[in-house]
Amino acid sequence: MSGRLVIVGTGPGNPEQTTPEALSAIAASHVFFGYSPYLDRLSLRPDQRRVASDNREELARAKDALHTAASGEQVCVVSGGDPGVFAMAAAVLEALEAGPPAWRSVDLVVVPGITAMLAVAARVGAPLGHDFCAISLSDNLKPWTVIESRLRAVAGAGLVIALYNPISKARPHQLGTAFAILREILPWSTPVIFGRAAGRPDEAISIVTLAEARPEQADMATCVIIGSPETRIVERPGLPPLVYSPRSTGLAP
């Protein structure tokens, strides 16, 4: 007998940004798999069981969750943000594709959530108001040369860029290298937004230019948004500035 596996995103960390659909899925589940800090955001009942694992054990976690669901359990895999954006939904589907046939009979549902770039963008205005992309700077699953080529391509195409996983103790140099690449292509006056822990008590949001941007302004809890050549900063006397990307663009094709 096959069970059910629901993959949810809790949002950026503010409980008010967890969707009602995600809360309903959590309430209906019995076994929870996830990274400990994400599971800690849940208020589980005594009859609900959590299985915590390290942040770099996504594929093993996905396999365990599928195995448990295939045995008939009501399972929930928990991500931060949106589970389909650099998170657990892709890991679960990767495990399912390579796994035993029984796993394909599991009733699998992905519940969308608010991802970091949306939370950060909302804090400063509308920097994602025109075409944009998201790139992870982590080279754990792809070569750094691929990341560099993508940065050059999207900057040259005039896209706003949201950077996930910008820096870590194991990767202290990559964000600085990314800024150096972008300075070769974009105006140095381009707005850069550092959004750390958007919506949480320790939130820190800053707006600088590409010329001023420094890697030490970010950590792994930060989403960095780099504007396009068209992105504008609107100054407001006595109030924080706003950033937006116009709905129309004058860039040549």
Side-chain angles (χ1 to χ4, degrees):
M1 174 182 174
S2 183
R4 189 169 194 253
L5 193 156
V6 180
I7 312 169
V8 304
T10 60
N14 183 337
E16 295 182 357
Q17 293 176 332
T18 303
T19 69
E21 184 181 8
L23 292 173
S24 295
I26 290 166
S29 300
H30 298 156
V31 187
F32 295 79
F33 292 84
Y35 179 42
S36 292
Y38 298 153
L39 293 177
D40 290 343
R41 296 178 184 175
L42 308 181
S43 298
L44 299 182
R45 305 185 304 266
D47 63 306
Q48 294 176 311
R49 177 167 61 92
R50 52 179 278 166
V51 182
S53 52
D54 185 78
N55 200 31
R56 292 196 175 190
E57 298 177 359
E58 290 93 346
L59 194 56
R61 181 187 309 142
K63 292 177 180 178
D64 289 344
L66 284 163
H67 175 77
T68 304
S71 71
E73 290 278 8
Q74 303 294 303
V75 175
C76 182
V77 172
V78 180
S79 284
D82 179 283
V85 180
F86 304 121
M88 282 304 300
V92 171
L93 293 181
E94 180 182 342
L96 185 149
E97 182 182 28
W103 290 1
R104 300 196 180 207
S105 299
V106 169
D107 179 15
L108 192 149
V109 178
V110 180
V111 177
I114 298 173
T115 190
M117 66 180 177
L118 301 181
V120 172
R123 280 290 187 263
V124 300
L128 307 180
H130 206 280
D131 297 339
F132 64 90
C133 69
I135 296 177
S136 171
L137 287 193
S138 172
D139 60 355
N140 289 332
L141 299 175
K142 61 181 180 288
W144 176 250
T145 53
V146 170
I147 297 172
E148 286 193 356
S149 66
R150 289 176 179 175
L151 287 171
R152 294 182 188 279
V154 297
L159 299 181
V160 174
I161 307 167
L163 296 179
Y164 281 71
N165 306 312
I167 198 166
S168 71
K169 291 180 180 179
R171 299 181 289 101
H173 64 285
Q174 292 175 346
L175 182 57
T177 302
F179 286 148
I181 290 170
L182 296 175
R183 289 186 188 113
E184 296 174 9
I185 302 167
L186 296 172
W188 284 30
S189 58
T190 300
V192 176
I193 303 145
F194 292 89
R196 185 186 185 282
R200 305 205 296 265
D202 56 340
E203 172 184 291
I205 308 289
S206 62
I207 302 168
V208 300
T209 65
L210 183 57
E212 300 166 326
R214 297 292 179 266
E216 55 268 21
Q217 294 175 264
D219 61 15
M220 277 297 284
T222 305
C223 182
V224 182
I225 298 178
I226 298 105
S228 75
E230 305 256 327
T231 302
R232 303 175 188 176
I233 298 177
V234 181
E235 300 290 349
R236 303 187 296 165
L239 293 171
L242 295 172
V243 181
Y244 83 105
S245 297
R247 293 175 297 158
S248 61
T249 175
L251 290 176

